[in-house]
Amino acid sequence: MKIQESAENYLETILILLNRKGAVRSIDIVNELGYSKPSVSIAMKNLRENGYIEMGPEGFISLLPPGREIAERIYERHTLLSDWLTALGVNPAVAAEDACRMEHVISAESFEAIKKHVQQKAEELKGR
């Protein structure tokens, strides 16, 4: 199922915040992304209604399996593409910005080919 880029960004942000802080509320997402409270509230409602997240009575957000799967895929793409571009000599800030755009549009086939290439190069460097 294809979801919107903005939903992927929210799910990725929730994953990052969960890893960093252990618990996430909507206000954490507001602070991380710099979006308005109403925008984040609407996004969380949509993600909840579509079965990607759940919110506890205290407002803590957790990723449901479909949401976690998307978040982990997008985060892996972002991390690998950003690191790869930086290794190629791209300014880290530019690399992160470009990776953020690329992570949503690259096909699974192309990403897997880049991932395989990066892993092979890393193994070659280890062997030296």
Side-chain angles (χ1 to χ4, degrees), residues 20-116:
R20 187 186 311 153
K21 299 175 61 131
V24 179
R25 289 181 157 172
S26 292
I27 192 66
D28 300 315
I29 298 166
V30 167
N31 293 333
E32 183 75 10
L33 298 176
Y35 296 164
S36 71
K37 288 179 186 179
S39 293
V40 171
S41 179
I42 290 167
M44 293 306 103
K45 178 179 181 266
N46 290 335
L47 290 173
R48 192 173 57 251
E49 288 176 352
N50 286 296
Y52 295 116
I53 65 166
E54 64 183 7
M55 295 181 82
E58 299 86 27
F60 290 104
I61 299 166
S62 57
L63 291 166
L64 295 173
R68 179 167 291 279
E69 180 183 324
I70 292 165
E72 288 176 350
R73 183 181 72 239
I74 296 300
Y75 183 68
E76 177 190 30
R77 287 177 174 201
H78 180 88
T79 303
L80 187 130
L81 291 168
S82 182
D83 291 349
W84 178 57
L85 290 169
T86 301
L88 292 173
V90 176
N91 174 292
V94 173
E97 193 175 304
D98 288 345
C100 194
R101 288 192 298 270
M102 293 167 64
E103 69 197 26
H104 301 285
V105 296
I106 191 169
S107 70
E109 180 181 358
S110 292
F111 178 74
E112 287 303 318
I114 292 170
K115 183 177 170 180
K116 183 178 175 183

Side-chain angles (χ1 to χ4, degrees), residues 119-128:
Q119 289 169 341
Q120 286 174 341
K121 288 296 178 190
E123 287 300 317
E124 287 174 14
L125 291 173
K126 266 189 198 176
R128 289 184 182 177

